[in-house]
Amino acid sequence: MTILFTDLVAFSSWALHRSDDEIVRLLDAVNRTTRDVIHRHGGVVIKTMGDGAMAAFDSDSAIEATFEAVEAVGQIDVADGYRPILRAGLHTGTPQRVKGDLIGVDVNIAARVAEAASGGEVLASETVFTIADRTRYQLRPRRFKAKGAPRKLQVYAVRPLY
């Protein structure tokens, strides 16, 4: 299973000076857009967490879905003075399902990979390419070091070649 985490860049700073209605309007648009793209590619949103989401894919479409979600969220224009920019991380592993949630070390690794991404960037651990065909993507190796992740885990900035 490939696990996806997303997060909005600079959302917290923007939200400090906005009304709850503005925040909810933006998060609704981001969550709806992200969910629609993920579902269209056969994934499932496991949960949303503030300005981020966790999703899972049983197929090799996770990279395309993530890249498309980043692009689509970047087109949302409902927040005065803020253009939403997602960062995203992917990791393939064997998480445990517990009451509609996913838990385990692979979930933690996916979250750490997402935290390492820059705005508009999709990072994928080397394990994603046990499912996805690496020849379909432009890969740039990224330095990666995170607490709770294997020391030698290779992470790539990925972009579909289409």
Side-chain angles (χ1 to χ4, degrees):
M1 175 180 302
T2 299
I3 306 152
L4 162 66
F5 274 89
T6 66
D7 179 57
L8 281 175
V9 175
F11 170 79
S12 297
S13 298
W14 173 82
L16 282 173
H17 309 287
R18 301 296 179 216
S19 70
D20 288 346
D21 287 342
E22 289 174 290
I23 293 167
V24 168
R25 185 171 45 252
L26 174 65
L27 292 178
D28 282 348
V30 169
N31 290 337
R32 184 176 48 257
T33 299
T34 302
R35 183 188 63 243
D36 290 350
V37 170
I38 288 168
H39 287 171
R40 197 166 46 252
H41 286 273
V44 175
V45 174
I46 303 299
K47 60 184 169 185
T48 58
M49 305 151 294
D51 62 326
M54 179 173 83
F57 297 84
D58 287 326
S59 69
D60 67 349
S61 63
I63 295 172
E64 286 88 356
T66 304
F67 190 78
E68 187 177 317
V70 168
E71 295 278 309
V73 166
Q75 300 302 311
I76 294 172
D77 188 16
V78 299
D80 184 37
Y82 178 74
R83 180 69 71 161
I85 299 172
L86 278 182
R87 62 180 174 176
L90 295 160
H91 177 72
T92 298
T94 54
Q96 298 298 307
R97 290 184 188 266
V98 178
K99 296 182 181 180
D101 200 357
L102 296 176
I103 63 169
V105 69
D106 290 313
V107 173
N108 295 338
I109 293 169
R112 300 300 175 260
V113 171
E115 289 170 2
S118 298
E121 186 174 49
V122 177
L123 294 183
S125 74
E126 64 189 6
T127 63
V128 172
F129 300 103
T130 61
I131 295 174
D133 177 2
R134 70 176 54 236
T135 64
R136 294 175 39 205
Y137 308 99
Q138 176 186 33
L139 305 176
R140 286 178 318 164
R142 286 281 306 271
R143 287 183 175 216
F144 178 75
K145 183 178 177 183
K147 184 177 180 182
R151 290 189 119 160
K152 295 185 180 194
L153 182 67
Q154 180 62 60
V155 171
Y156 301 93
V158 295
R159 180 180 284 283
L161 290 175
Y162 57 80

